[in-house]
């Protein structure tokens, strides 16, 4: 069961990140097409948000690895 939980944590984090990047990229392209003079400002904000969205997925991977290597051996699981 611990392996399924870890797979779900990493998989859902990756899925959420992919959906977030897709929506953000689409909205950036729409707004850049409407007002091209604002594209540089929007691009900076988009990259900041991309880093924050990616950080959420990395935190999920860190938690999953913590569960795998710290919590699971105490439960008699991984090794």
């Amino acid at each position: 069961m611990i392996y399924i939980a870890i797979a779900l944590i990493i998989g859902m984090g990756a899925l959420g990140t992919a959906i977030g990047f897709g929506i953000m990229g689409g909205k950036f392209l729409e707004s850049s097409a409407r007002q091209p003079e604002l594209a540089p400002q929007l691009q900076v904000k988009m990259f900041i948000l991309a880093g924050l969205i990616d950080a959420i997925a990395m935190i999920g991977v860190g938690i999953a690895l913590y569960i795998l290597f710290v919590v699971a051996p105490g439960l008699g699981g991984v090794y």
Side-chain angles (χ1 to χ4, degrees), residues 7-46:
L8 285 173
I9 290 172
I10 294 174
M12 293 298 155
L15 182 65
T17 301
I19 291 170
F21 273 117
I23 292 171
M24 183 180 59
K27 297 293 181 178
F28 170 71
L29 290 176
E30 285 178 17
S31 59
S32 294
R34 288 184 185 174
Q35 293 182 334
E37 66 275 2
L38 292 179
Q41 295 172 357
L42 294 171
Q43 186 176 14
V44 169
K45 292 177 184 176
M46 186 187 74

